């Protein structure tokens, strides 16, 4: 409850606005063809450290079973299949369990495949201002987001921890002497984290909060859609209150949990602000949410414009004008630094060992990156020509899909 730092907005107003106005509509939008298919390359190698061995196997989406733990009978193929050791390995069951949980469902109907070829042609005819190298890769594939919901996959432990650690430690403008709270590697002394954070300029503080909000968002989804039990091969997913408490309860997190949740609201406000700012781009007749089905495309666009109207009616927006507002030269270099840090975080997502987590990590990072791009392109958006694709500001289908789904999360 209460007011958020760095903006004149309170939690209760956001809750009301989201629950009654925004969420039902955004949920509908996410189910439409244009927004449910996301093209992603899940095979890009991690550029920062050697991959954790097994993670390259498509379906083993948790910590790999170490070679030494795999029963001899299995390593030798079928010759020793019925030996006792092969049947009793708890480790192996865990690994197989993870296989089932984490598998990305890549089935697509032929109809969908034809539609994608159409989309690609349509996208190519638009005049892009930034090329997403990834889409052209033979490894990039379309994923149906409705068939691959974000949920707990069993991916945890050192590998998952290393991803977040490198995001916070190396990409949040943080000196090495300051450790973030609850970091198991932190020595007991050193500059206090929050003293350091308060001392930062608004931009860098915002950056940290956005990353923390993203982290909170992902953790929330895992708690809300958790594998509660698997009976007769039928998994039952649902909210795991105990897990939620472990990650967010003030008593269990030394007061950290509520801060994490506040950062989630802050992230919501930033993405909401971006949606209200990008409306003029979509209001032009030249922009079409093209799937080849004229009737559905018109409905999708009407729903999107309706959501934009709602976002503009919200009266407590985050005011990004106070950001990058210093002297021209300083502001420019800070903005560039921001962009590079963010780009780096999107590359770290290629180090996530579980395909499903990687998919949603990449999507939400790209969504937030798109929101930032919009907030820093206000002048370009306002001067867009009505009837022709613009050179000054362009969004690819990827960016649009990522923005809407990230905000939906």
């Amino acid at each position: 409850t209460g007011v958020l730092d760095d903006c004149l907005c309170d939690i209760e107003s956001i809750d009301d606005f989201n629950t009654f106005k925004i969420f039902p509509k955004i949920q509908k939008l996410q189910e439409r063809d244009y927004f449910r298919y996301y093209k992603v390359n899940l095979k890009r190698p991690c550029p920062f450290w050697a991959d954790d061995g097994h993670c390259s196997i498509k379906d083993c989406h948790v910590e790999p079973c170490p070679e030494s733990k795999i029963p001899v009978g299995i390593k030798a193929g079928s010759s020793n299949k019925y030996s006792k050791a092969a049947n009793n390995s708890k480790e192996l069951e865990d690994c197989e369990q993870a296989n089932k949980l984490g598998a990305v469902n890549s089935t697509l109907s032929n109809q969908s495949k034809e539609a994608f070829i159409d989309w690609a042609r349509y996208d190519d005819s638009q005049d892009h201002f930034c090329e997403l190298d990834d889409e052209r890769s033979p490894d990039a594939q379309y994923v149906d987001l409705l068939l691959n919901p974000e949920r707990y996959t069993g991916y945890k432990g050192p590998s998952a921890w290393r991803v977040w650690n490198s995001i916070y430690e190396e990409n949040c403008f943080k000196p090495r002497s300051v450790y973030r709270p609850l970091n198991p590697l932190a020595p007991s002394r050193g500059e206090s984290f929050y003293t350091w954070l308060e001392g930062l300029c608004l931009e860098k503080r915002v950056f940290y909060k956005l990353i923390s909000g993203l982290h909170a968002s992902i953790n929330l989804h895992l708690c809300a859609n958790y594998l509660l039990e698997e009976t007769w091969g039928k998994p039952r997913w649902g909210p795991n209150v105990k897990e939620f408490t472990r990650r967010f309860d003030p008593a269990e997190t030394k007061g950290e949990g509520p801060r994490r949740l506040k950062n989630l609201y802050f992230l919501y406000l930033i993405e909401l602000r971006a949606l209200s700012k990008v409306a003029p781009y979509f209001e032009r007749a030249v922009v079409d949410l093209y799937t080849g089905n004229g009737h559905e495309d018109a409905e999708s666009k009407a729903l999107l414009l309706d959501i934009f109207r709602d976002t503009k009616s919200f009266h407590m927006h985050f005011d990004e004008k106070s950001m990058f507002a210093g002297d021209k030269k300083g502001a420019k270099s800070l903005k560039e630094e921001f962009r590079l840090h963010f780009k780096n975080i999107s590359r770290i997502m290629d180090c996530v060992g579980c395909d499903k987590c990687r998919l949603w990590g990449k999507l939400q990072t790209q969504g937030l990156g798109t929101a930032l791009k919009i907030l820093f392109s206000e002048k370009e958006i306002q001067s867009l020509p009505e009837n022709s694709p613009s050179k000054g500001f362009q969004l690819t289908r990827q960016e649009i899909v990522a923005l809407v789904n990230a905000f939906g999360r």
Side-chain angles (χ1 to χ4, degrees), residues 113-393:
K113 284 179 189 152
E114 281 165 28
F116 296 143
I117 296 167
D118 252 7
W119 286 346
R121 268 193 221 113
Y122 188 78
D123 245 5
D124 287 343
S125 70
Q126 303 301 299
D127 152 22
H128 291 332
F129 113 145
C130 80
E131 192 53 68
L132 298 166
D133 57 351
D134 217 4
E135 288 196 70
R136 309 246 172 234
S137 153
D139 286 334
Q141 58 191 129
Y142 282 101
V143 173
D144 182 338
L145 298 173
L146 299 183
L147 285 182
N148 294 281
E150 185 179 23
R151 59 189 180 193
Y152 176 74
T153 62
Y155 175 60
K156 56 180 185 218
S159 162
W161 197 81
R162 178 161 63 172
V163 169
W164 282 112
N165 206 45
S166 88
I167 286 174
Y168 283 110
E169 298 305 315
E170 292 157 34
N171 293 286
C172 280
F173 299 100
K174 202 168 68 48
R176 293 212 175 276
S177 58
V178 174
Y179 290 86
R180 68 193 166 99
L182 307 182
N183 180 340
L185 303 179
S188 50
R189 58 184 204 289
E191 189 188 345
S192 135
F193 179 79
Y194 288 106
T195 320
W196 164 77
L197 192 63
E198 286 316 304
L200 284 183
C201 67
L202 172 71
E203 290 84 354
K204 293 181 179 180
R205 212 163 50 233
V206 162
F207 194 91
Y208 171 80
K209 285 180 172 179
L210 290 177
I211 299 308
S212 165
L214 187 64
H215 195 179
S217 173
I218 289 171
N219 278 341
L220 261 173
H221 304 144
L222 306 188
C223 300
N225 209 347
Y226 202 91
L227 183 69
L228 299 175
E229 61 178 352
E230 188 153 20
T231 41
W232 303 103
K234 267 205 135 143
R236 188 168 70 83
W237 302 88
N240 182 334
V241 179
K242 201 169 146 202
E243 187 63 29
F244 174 79
T245 309
R246 192 176 72 75
R247 293 171 188 259
F248 295 103
D249 184 81
E252 298 237 357
T253 59
K254 299 185 177 163
E256 235 352 80
R259 286 179 190 261
R260 292 172 182 168
L261 291 174
K262 275 194 165 179
N263 290 337
L264 171 69
Y265 279 89
F266 186 73
L267 172 68
Y268 179 90
L269 276 185
I270 292 277
E271 294 192 359
L272 180 73
R273 179 68 165 169
L275 285 177
S276 71
K277 290 273 179 190
V278 81
Y281 177 83
F282 287 95
E283 282 160 359
R284 300 174 307 153
V286 70
V287 173
D288 192 9
L289 301 178
Y290 178 75
T291 68
N293 175 339
H295 176 65
E296 182 169 314
D297 296 350
E299 279 188 358
S300 299
K301 184 162 176 179
L303 183 56
L304 184 63
L305 295 182
D306 189 29
I307 290 171
F308 288 144
R309 275 191 291 278
D310 284 341
T311 62
K312 288 179 184 171
S313 73
F314 187 66
H315 58 289
M316 290 188 282
H317 276 291
F318 174 77
D319 180 16
E320 76 291 343
K321 284 200 178 57
S322 46
M323 288 175 68
F324 305 107
D327 65 289
K328 276 256 163 42
K329 198 173 157 205
K332 203 173 168 191
S333 72
L334 185 58
K335 197 158 151 183
E336 184 56 14
E337 213 182 334
F338 223 71
R339 202 178 64 78
L340 293 175
H341 273 274
F342 204 82
K343 217 171 177 172
N344 216 25
I345 289 176
S346 61
R347 291 171 67 211
I348 292 175
M349 289 298 165
D350 284 321
C351 302
V352 173
C354 143
D355 275 357
K356 201 168 278 178
C357 314
R358 185 185 291 205
L359 161 69
W360 285 99
K362 284 173 85 108
L363 178 127
Q364 289 172 85
T365 312
Q366 191 181 15
L368 176 52
T370 305
L372 292 172
K373 170 177 159 176
I374 291 165
L375 291 180
F376 300 140
S377 310
E378 189 175 13
K379 284 195 192 80
E380 291 79 354
I381 293 172
Q382 283 172 349
S383 55
L384 285 169
E386 174 55 46
N387 293 317
S388 62
S390 68
K391 285 251 185 286
F393 179 85

